[in-house]
Amino acid sequence: MSIQTVGIIGAGTMGSGIAQTCAVSGLQVVMVDISQAAVDKGLATVGASLERLVKKEKISEADKAAALGRIKGSVQYDDLKGAQLVVEAATENHELKNKILKQVDALLPAETIIATNTSSISITQLAAITSRPDRFVGMHFFNPVPIMALVEIIRGLQTSDATHAAVKALAEKLGKSPITVKNAPGFVVNRILLPMINEAFFVLAEGLASPEDIDAGMKLGCNHPIGPLALADMIGLDVCLAIMETYLQEYGDSKYRPSQLLTEYVAAGRLGRKTKRGVYAY
């Protein structure tokens, strides 16, 4: 299957980033959200991002105009009907995703592939609520989408080889480096990353080193571009805690128990950059 038009549900950070990446790669894009204000904000985000690339002389003004011309903003799910692939990029909320997927599944032609950009929800479970579980797949993009090279392609139990092949080919067309992952909580990257961040909180709680020295150790010793505690502040400490609690529940293994210090920070409302205070002050 050749994918020429991509539908995107959600014009937020991830949705607009996916839209930009697809449009720059020459694909037609339909980006849908619940309000015109949300759609306009998403289009403005893409415009500003492309303008930064023009200033850095990575693309021309003509390239920017052409990419923006390939994106159609809409508040109507009906406008997704012409897409060969629809990517659901709504907030990480199970009930919301279920509702959206049921709605678009009923609307889209039978051959359309549906993908979900989730970082934690079961692909097998989401696929089962649609009438096309064989044409359902996870496409986990990383933020910021236009810059990050990785896409995790997650196969649910029902995902067909043809669906996987079509989505992998699309990811490569977008200039990404896809990896194929089986369905499991956290997939690959977050399954490894979040316990590492959690361990950094244990180390901090034990007073082994200061936050600055813990982060410097991982940056200089492991060549990480950002330390685990600074990264936790960027992700949101509440998000980190929720993911660890999910792992503990799903795997039933005590190695996933959240650090008490992480739990305390969240209880205190110190959630990271978004509240101007986490491990560090912003």
Side-chain angles (χ1 to χ4, degrees):
M1 174 190 246
S2 175
I3 297 167
Q4 305 300 327
T5 302
V6 175
I8 297 163
I9 300 166
T13 304
M14 297 306 288
S16 62
I18 298 166
Q20 176 183 327
T21 304
C22 290
V24 166
S25 303
L27 297 165
Q28 296 296 319
V29 178
V30 181
M31 183 170 66
V32 175
D33 212 314
I34 51 169
S35 70
Q36 193 58 48
V39 171
D40 291 344
K41 188 180 175 189
L43 291 169
T45 300
V46 175
S49 177
L50 291 172
E51 185 54 37
R52 285 194 293 276
L53 293 175
V54 171
K55 284 185 175 154
K56 289 180 183 171
E57 298 183 352
K58 299 220 169 144
I59 62 170
S60 67
E61 277 289 353
D63 292 334
K64 174 190 163 185
L68 285 171
R70 292 187 197 104
I71 304 173
K72 176 184 177 178
S74 173
V75 292
Q76 302 292 332
Y77 280 167
D78 269 9
D79 288 332
L80 297 168
K81 284 180 179 174
Q84 291 84 42
L85 168 74
V86 171
V87 182
E88 173 275 310
T91 313
E92 195 75 347
N93 176 302
H94 206 154
E95 281 176 25
L96 176 66
K97 286 187 187 286
N98 276 351
K99 185 183 161 193
I100 290 170
L101 291 170
K102 278 180 184 168
Q103 223 172 320
V104 295
D105 178 52
L107 193 72
L108 296 171
E111 64 276 9
T112 307
I113 295 170
I114 302 178
T116 178
N117 175 59
T118 179
S119 56
S120 63
I121 298 171
S122 166
I123 304 304
T124 298
Q125 213 171 0
L126 291 174
I129 67 161
T130 73
S131 63
R132 65 193 83 206
D134 59 319
R135 285 185 296 288
F136 192 94
V137 69
M139 278 189 95
H140 181 209
F141 289 85
F142 288 75
N143 189 24
V145 178
I147 294 167
M148 298 293 275
L150 181 66
V151 177
E152 283 182 315
I153 299 175
I154 306 106
R155 298 187 69 148
L157 191 65
Q158 319 91 316
T159 307
S160 72
D161 290 344
T163 297
H164 171 260
V167 171
K168 184 170 185 275
L170 175 73
E172 287 165 350
K173 185 175 180 176
L174 298 179
K176 302 300 183 190
S177 301
I179 62 170
T180 299
V181 182
K182 285 180 185 172
N183 184 57
F187 312 134
V188 165
V189 175
N190 286 344
R191 169 84 179 272
I192 296 167
L193 175 66
L194 268 298
M196 182 193 78
I197 288 173
N198 194 46
E199 196 62 32
F201 277 93
F202 277 120
V203 168
L204 180 61
E206 288 165 26
L208 295 185
S210 68
E212 293 80 4
D213 283 353
I214 292 167
D215 280 351
M218 293 306 290
K219 281 163 71 179
L220 302 174
C222 296
N223 211 19
H224 291 190
I226 183 171
L229 298 171
L231 181 58
D233 276 354
M234 196 181 286
I235 293 167
L237 302 195
D238 53 336
V239 176
C240 294
L241 177 61
I243 293 171
M244 289 309 298
E245 286 172 338
T246 299
Y247 292 175
L248 184 62
Q249 186 185 334
E250 295 279 339
Y251 290 112
D253 189 328
S254 63
K255 74 179 180 181
Y256 296 114
R257 76 193 188 286
S259 155
Q260 184 59 36
L261 182 61
L262 173 60
T263 306
E264 283 286 295
Y265 277 12
V266 173
R270 287 173 58 169
L271 309 183
R273 285 179 182 265
K274 60 188 169 188
T275 58
K276 308 283 185 224
R277 189 75 206 266
V279 177
Y280 300 101
Y282 297 91

